[in-house]
Amino acid sequence: MKQLLTAKELEEGVDQLAARLRREYLGRPLTVVGVLTGSIVLLADLIRRLDLPLRVGLIQARSYRGAATTPGELTVNADLLPDVKNREVLLLDDIFDTGHTLERLLTDIRALGPISIRSAVLLRKEGRSEVDFEPDYVVFEIPDAFVVGYGLDFHDAYRNLPYVAALDDEIANVDLDELPPPGDCDPRDC
Ligand code: 5GP
Ligand code: MG
Protein backbone atom coordinates (compact mmCIF):
# COMPACT_ATOMS: atom_id res chain seq x y z
CA MET A 1 0.00 0.00 0.00
CA LYS A 2 1.15 3.51 -0.72
CA GLN A 3 2.02 5.47 2.41
CA LEU A 4 0.41 8.90 2.32
CA LEU A 5 1.51 10.04 5.77
CA THR A 6 4.41 8.55 7.69
CA ALA A 7 4.38 7.97 11.44
CA LYS A 8 6.71 10.95 11.81
CA GLU A 9 4.47 13.27 9.78
CA LEU A 10 1.46 12.16 11.85
CA GLU A 11 3.36 12.87 15.05
CA GLU A 12 4.30 16.36 13.87
CA GLY A 13 0.75 17.06 12.74
CA VAL A 14 -0.71 16.01 16.09
CA ASP A 15 1.94 18.11 17.87
CA GLN A 16 0.79 21.17 15.89
CA LEU A 17 -2.89 20.51 16.57
CA ALA A 18 -2.17 20.13 20.29
CA ALA A 19 -0.18 23.38 20.32
CA ARG A 20 -3.08 25.26 18.68
CA LEU A 21 -5.61 23.80 21.10
CA ARG A 22 -3.45 24.64 24.11
CA ARG A 23 -3.19 28.24 22.87
CA GLU A 24 -6.85 28.63 21.97
CA TYR A 25 -8.36 27.01 25.06
CA LEU A 26 -5.66 28.46 27.35
CA GLY A 27 -6.23 26.43 30.48
CA ARG A 28 -10.03 26.37 30.15
CA PRO A 29 -11.74 23.05 30.88
CA LEU A 30 -12.32 21.06 27.71
CA THR A 31 -14.27 17.89 26.89
CA VAL A 32 -12.79 16.03 23.95
CA VAL A 33 -15.35 13.73 22.34
CA GLY A 34 -13.87 11.06 20.08
CA VAL A 35 -15.96 9.49 17.34
CA LEU A 36 -15.75 5.71 17.55
CA THR A 37 -13.98 3.84 16.24
CA GLY A 38 -11.73 5.66 13.81
CA SER A 39 -10.61 8.45 16.16
CA ILE A 40 -9.16 6.27 18.93
CA VAL A 41 -5.50 6.48 17.89
CA LEU A 42 -5.66 10.24 17.32
CA LEU A 43 -7.58 10.68 20.58
CA ALA A 44 -4.96 8.80 22.59
CA ASP A 45 -2.09 10.71 20.97
CA LEU A 46 -3.77 14.10 21.21
CA ILE A 47 -5.00 14.08 24.81
CA ARG A 48 -1.55 13.22 26.14
CA ARG A 49 -0.30 16.45 24.58
CA LEU A 50 -3.07 18.64 26.02
CA ASP A 51 -2.06 20.34 29.21
CA LEU A 52 -5.64 21.46 30.00
CA PRO A 53 -8.26 20.40 32.54
CA LEU A 54 -9.63 17.66 30.35
CA ARG A 55 -12.50 15.21 30.13
CA VAL A 56 -12.81 12.57 27.47
CA GLY A 57 -16.03 11.22 26.01
CA LEU A 58 -16.92 8.92 23.17
CA ILE A 59 -19.74 8.81 20.68
CA GLN A 60 -20.37 6.18 18.06
CA ALA A 61 -21.47 6.93 14.53
CA ARG A 62 -22.06 4.19 12.02
CA SER A 63 -22.88 4.86 8.42
CA TYR A 64 -24.31 2.22 6.20
CA ARG A 65 -23.13 2.73 2.68
CA GLY A 66 -24.16 -0.63 1.24
CA ALA A 67 -26.26 -0.71 -1.90
CA ALA A 68 -29.27 -1.84 0.15
CA THR A 69 -29.46 1.31 2.30
CA THR A 70 -29.57 5.01 1.59
CA PRO A 71 -26.03 6.38 1.36
CA GLY A 72 -25.14 8.41 4.41
CA GLU A 73 -27.79 6.86 6.66
CA LEU A 74 -26.34 7.23 10.13
CA THR A 75 -26.91 5.53 13.45
CA VAL A 76 -25.60 7.43 16.48
CA ASN A 77 -25.00 5.92 19.92
CA ALA A 78 -24.39 8.54 22.60
CA ASP A 79 -24.47 6.18 25.63
CA LEU A 80 -20.76 6.80 26.30
CA LEU A 81 -21.04 10.58 26.19
CA PRO A 82 -20.48 12.38 29.52
CA ASP A 83 -22.63 15.37 30.48
CA VAL A 84 -21.61 18.16 28.11
CA LYS A 85 -24.07 20.80 29.33
CA ASN A 86 -22.16 24.03 30.08
CA ARG A 87 -18.90 22.46 28.90
CA GLU A 88 -16.63 23.43 26.03
CA VAL A 89 -16.56 20.51 23.62
CA LEU A 90 -14.16 19.47 20.89
CA LEU A 91 -15.55 16.77 18.62
CA LEU A 92 -12.73 14.69 17.18
CA ASP A 93 -12.96 12.42 14.14
CA ASP A 94 -10.54 10.61 11.91
CA ILE A 95 -11.66 11.92 8.54
CA PHE A 96 -13.96 14.48 6.96
CA ASP A 97 -15.24 13.05 3.70
CA THR A 98 -18.74 14.21 2.73
CA GLY A 99 -19.09 15.88 6.13
CA HIS A 100 -22.47 14.31 6.91
CA THR A 101 -21.18 12.41 9.97
CA LEU A 102 -19.76 15.50 11.66
CA GLU A 103 -22.78 17.59 10.70
CA ARG A 104 -25.14 15.12 12.37
CA LEU A 105 -22.96 14.68 15.49
CA LEU A 106 -22.49 18.45 15.92
CA THR A 107 -26.27 18.91 15.74
CA ASP A 108 -26.89 16.13 18.27
CA ILE A 109 -24.29 17.45 20.74
CA ARG A 110 -25.38 21.09 20.33
CA ALA A 111 -28.84 20.02 21.47
CA LEU A 112 -27.28 18.97 24.82
CA GLY A 113 -26.39 22.56 25.70
CA PRO A 114 -22.58 22.87 25.64
CA ILE A 115 -21.04 26.36 26.03
CA SER A 116 -19.22 25.83 22.77
CA ILE A 117 -18.54 23.07 20.30
CA ARG A 118 -15.80 22.87 17.70
CA SER A 119 -14.67 20.02 15.48
CA ALA A 120 -11.25 18.64 14.65
CA VAL A 121 -10.29 15.98 12.12
CA LEU A 122 -7.02 14.33 11.27
CA LEU A 123 -7.78 14.17 7.55
CA ARG A 124 -9.94 16.06 5.11
CA LYS A 125 -10.48 14.70 1.63
CA GLU A 126 -10.22 17.34 -1.03
CA GLY A 127 -13.28 18.06 -3.14
CA ARG A 128 -15.71 15.71 -1.38
CA SER A 129 -17.66 17.91 1.03
CA GLU A 130 -21.45 17.95 0.68
CA VAL A 131 -22.10 20.24 3.65
CA ASP A 132 -21.81 23.99 4.13
CA PHE A 133 -19.40 24.09 7.05
CA GLU A 134 -15.74 23.23 7.52
CA PRO A 135 -14.18 21.49 10.52
CA ASP A 136 -12.53 24.06 12.83
CA TYR A 137 -9.25 22.13 12.79
CA VAL A 138 -7.88 19.98 9.97
CA VAL A 139 -4.49 18.38 10.46
CA PHE A 140 -3.92 17.10 6.89
CA GLU A 141 -5.63 17.60 3.52
CA ILE A 142 -5.47 14.42 1.43
CA PRO A 143 -6.46 13.50 -2.12
CA ASP A 144 -9.67 11.57 -2.74
CA ALA A 145 -8.57 7.98 -2.02
CA PHE A 146 -9.75 5.37 0.46
CA VAL A 147 -7.25 5.45 3.30
CA VAL A 148 -6.45 3.14 6.20
CA GLY A 149 -4.19 3.14 9.24
CA TYR A 150 -3.78 5.29 12.37
CA GLY A 151 -7.31 4.31 13.42
CA LEU A 152 -8.90 4.15 9.98
CA ASP A 153 -10.09 0.72 8.89
CA PHE A 154 -11.09 -1.35 5.94
CA HIS A 155 -13.70 -3.80 7.27
CA ASP A 156 -12.09 -3.43 10.72
CA ALA A 157 -8.59 -4.29 9.51
CA TYR A 158 -5.53 -2.00 9.41
CA ARG A 159 -6.51 0.37 12.23
CA ASN A 160 -3.23 -0.46 13.96
CA LEU A 161 -0.93 0.65 11.15
CA PRO A 162 1.24 3.46 12.53
CA TYR A 163 0.99 5.35 9.22
CA VAL A 164 -1.82 6.35 6.84
CA ALA A 165 -1.90 4.52 3.51
CA ALA A 166 -4.14 4.52 0.45
CA LEU A 167 -5.79 1.13 0.14
CA ASP A 168 -4.59 -0.86 -2.85
CA ASP A 169 -7.22 -1.78 -5.41
CA GLU A 170 -6.20 -5.44 -5.12
CA ILE A 171 -6.99 -5.38 -1.39
CA ALA A 172 -10.23 -3.46 -1.87
CA ASN A 173 -11.39 -6.23 -4.19
CA VAL A 174 -10.25 -9.34 -2.29
CA ASP A 175 -12.43 -11.77 -0.42
CA LEU A 176 -12.65 -10.28 3.11
CA ASP A 177 -11.57 -13.56 4.75
CA GLU A 178 -8.33 -13.37 2.79
CA LEU A 179 -7.29 -9.94 4.07
CA PRO A 180 -3.66 -9.95 5.17
CA PRO A 181 -3.64 -9.80 8.97
CA PRO A 182 -2.74 -6.28 10.11
CA GLY A 183 0.72 -6.06 11.55
CA ASP A 184 1.64 -9.53 10.38
CA CYS A 185 3.71 -8.22 7.54
CA ASP A 186 4.46 -4.91 5.93
CA PRO A 187 1.27 -4.33 3.89
CA ARG A 188 3.38 -3.01 1.04
CA ASP A 189 4.76 -6.55 0.69
CA CYS A 190 1.67 -8.58 1.60
P1 5GP B 1 -18.45 11.51 6.00
O1 5GP B 1 -19.71 11.43 6.80
O2 5GP B 1 -17.64 12.75 6.24
O3 5GP B 1 -18.67 11.24 4.55
O4 5GP B 1 -17.59 10.28 6.42
C1 5GP B 1 -16.96 10.21 7.60
C2 5GP B 1 -16.76 8.79 8.03
O5 5GP B 1 -16.66 7.88 6.90
C3 5GP B 1 -15.47 8.72 8.76
O6 5GP B 1 -15.69 8.86 10.14
C4 5GP B 1 -14.97 7.33 8.40
O7 5GP B 1 -15.48 6.40 9.32
C5 5GP B 1 -15.56 7.01 7.05
N1 5GP B 1 -14.61 7.26 5.94
C6 5GP B 1 -14.70 8.22 5.00
N2 5GP B 1 -13.64 8.15 4.16
C7 5GP B 1 -12.87 7.13 4.59
C8 5GP B 1 -11.62 6.58 4.14
O8 5GP B 1 -10.98 6.99 3.16
N3 5GP B 1 -11.14 5.53 4.86
C9 5GP B 1 -11.79 5.02 5.94
N4 5GP B 1 -11.21 4.00 6.57
N5 5GP B 1 -12.95 5.53 6.41
C10 5GP B 1 -13.49 6.57 5.73
MG1 MG C 1 -15.56 7.05 11.48
Side-chain angles (χ1 to χ4, degrees):
M1 277 192 265
K2 189 166 154 258
Q3 274 196 43
L4 280 186
L5 296 162
T6 64
K8 184 158 184 295
E9 287 169 327
L10 289 164
E11 194 182 319
E12 288 167 1
V14 178
D15 273 344
Q16 286 169 15
L17 174 60
R20 272 191 74 185
L21 293 170
R22 285 197 306 265
R23 270 198 310 276
E24 291 179 21
Y25 287 93
L26 262 186
R28 303 202 304 276
L30 180 65
T31 302
V32 178
V33 174
V35 181
L36 289 173
T37 303
S39 75
I40 56 169
V41 179
L42 172 63
L43 180 68
D45 279 351
L46 180 67
I47 60 174
R48 284 176 292 171
R49 291 163 162 89
L50 290 180
D51 182 16
L52 299 168
L54 197 86
R55 283 189 204 161
V56 175
L58 295 166
I59 193 162
Q60 186 177 37
R62 284 219 189 98
S63 54
Y64 298 96
R65 292 166 178 238
T69 52
T70 329
E73 190 186 320
L74 265 183
T75 309
V76 174
N77 176 357
D79 289 353
L80 295 169
L81 197 64
D83 190 4
V84 295
K85 194 170 169 58
N86 298 325
R87 303 275 309 178
E88 299 210 68
V89 175
L90 180 73
L91 182 64
L92 189 69
D93 204 359
D94 49 3
I95 188 164
F96 187 93
D97 182 17
T98 64
H100 291 299
T101 304
L102 271 198
E103 182 177 57
R104 163 74 189 277
L105 294 176
L106 287 168
T107 306
D108 285 12
I109 297 174
R110 258 187 213 115
L112 302 173
I115 298 173
S116 72
I117 178 157
R118 290 184 186 168
S119 56
V121 294
L122 180 73
L123 309 173
R124 180 181 175 284
K125 272 193 211 173
E126 276 160 16
R128 293 269 309 159
S129 178
E130 295 175 4
V131 296
D132 62 4
F133 74 97
E134 292 290 329
D136 298 287
Y137 305 92
V138 174
V139 185
F140 297 101
E141 299 279 349
I142 60 163
D144 181 11
F146 191 86
V147 292
V148 294
Y150 199 75
L152 291 126
D153 74 309
F154 174 62
H155 294 283
D156 273 326
Y158 306 118
R159 292 193 198 277
N160 56 328
L161 297 178
Y163 49 83
V164 169
L167 194 73
D168 282 342
D169 288 345
E170 305 91 83
I171 295 181
N173 294 323
V174 294
D175 181 343
L176 290 181
D177 295 332
E178 312 263 294
L179 273 186
D184 214 40
C185 52
D186 184 331
R188 285 166 298 177
D189 306 325
C190 287

